[in-house]
Amino acid sequence: MQNTDVTFTTSSPEETEALGEKIGRRLQRGDILTFKGELGAGKTCMIRGIAKGLGIKDRITSSSFVIMRVMEGDIPVYHFDLYRLENEEELIDIGYDEFLFSNGVSLIEWPEKLENLIGSDFLSVEIQYDEQDESFLRRIIKITPSGKRFEDLIKEII
Ligand code: ADP
Ligand code: MG
């Protein structure tokens, strides 16, 4: 079956964060979201909004040297940044599966690094620069649901 993706365009970091917040408010325990896009595309920016939507008060930073960070809230959030991950062994070492398949929400930057380890239900977010935009503020954000839970969630946010 064809996944029904939805594309949004944002014109500022604030707008990207707001889109994240809208999604964050609807997330539940066990949800997994993946974020693809070049460095500086806006993955962490959107995650900041999602955390806000989930009621997390921590300041979300780019965690270049940290593979995973836990944010405590009503629902725990696991923010993975796999940019510097060398191999899947490193993930196994930190016991990633206890987080990924737990009762929290997992937000994963650079999911390409563990593609085979994620199940069949997740929300994929792909962020691209808009080449036409000389101000470098515009982003094209494609959201693709995988599985019924996220198909329904997408319908709610559009
Ligand atoms: P990534 O996590 O993808 O490497 P970040 O979210 O850390 O990217 O950084 C995105 C950068 O792009 C920030 O400096 C942000 O201010 C800037 N930016 C400009 N326009 C946008 C936009 N529309 N959406 C998100 N970020 C934007
Ligand atoms: Mg980032």
Side-chain angles (χ1 to χ4, degrees), residues 2 4 12-14 20 40-41 46 51 60 62 82 87 89 94 102 118 142 149 153:
Q2 184 75 39
T4 45
S12 67
E14 291 75 21
M46 188 152 168
I60 316 311
S62 270
L82 306 182
N87 51 54
E89 238 105 276
I94 65 160
S102 72
I118 303 175
K142 188 171 95 172
R149 150 109 186 100
L153 188 143

Side-chain angles (χ1 to χ4, degrees), residues 63-94:
S63 49
S64 335
F65 296 99
V66 183
I67 294 178
M68 194 216 50
R69 120 180 9 198
V70 182
M71 296 182 265
E72 295 293 351
D74 290 340
I75 301 177
V77 174
Y78 308 113
H79 176 197
F80 291 81
D81 187 337
L82 306 182
Y83 182 61
R84 288 175 200 281
L85 190 78
E86 305 272 354
N87 51 54
E88 287 180 0
E89 238 105 276
E90 285 181 60
L91 271 176
I92 292 161
D93 286 348
I94 65 160

Side-chain angles (χ1 to χ4, degrees), residues 88-145:
E88 287 180 0
E89 238 105 276
E90 285 181 60
L91 271 176
I92 292 161
D93 286 348
I94 65 160
Y96 81 96
D97 51 335
E98 282 181 42
F99 302 108
L100 200 52
F101 306 111
S102 72
N103 58 0
V105 165
S106 289
L107 308 173
I108 309 169
E109 296 188 50
W110 302 95
E112 295 90 334
K113 304 272 180 96
L114 56 56
E115 212 113 61
N116 306 321
L117 305 177
I118 303 175
S120 54
D121 288 307
F122 62 95
L123 191 74
S124 155
V125 177
E126 286 177 63
I127 310 181
Q128 281 188 304
Y129 295 94
D130 182 346
E131 308 287 346
Q132 252 77 277
D133 173 38
E134 285 169 16
S135 69
F136 295 109
L137 288 170
R138 210 147 61 211
R139 301 290 192 274
I140 299 158
I141 303 178
K142 188 171 95 172
I143 302 185
T144 312

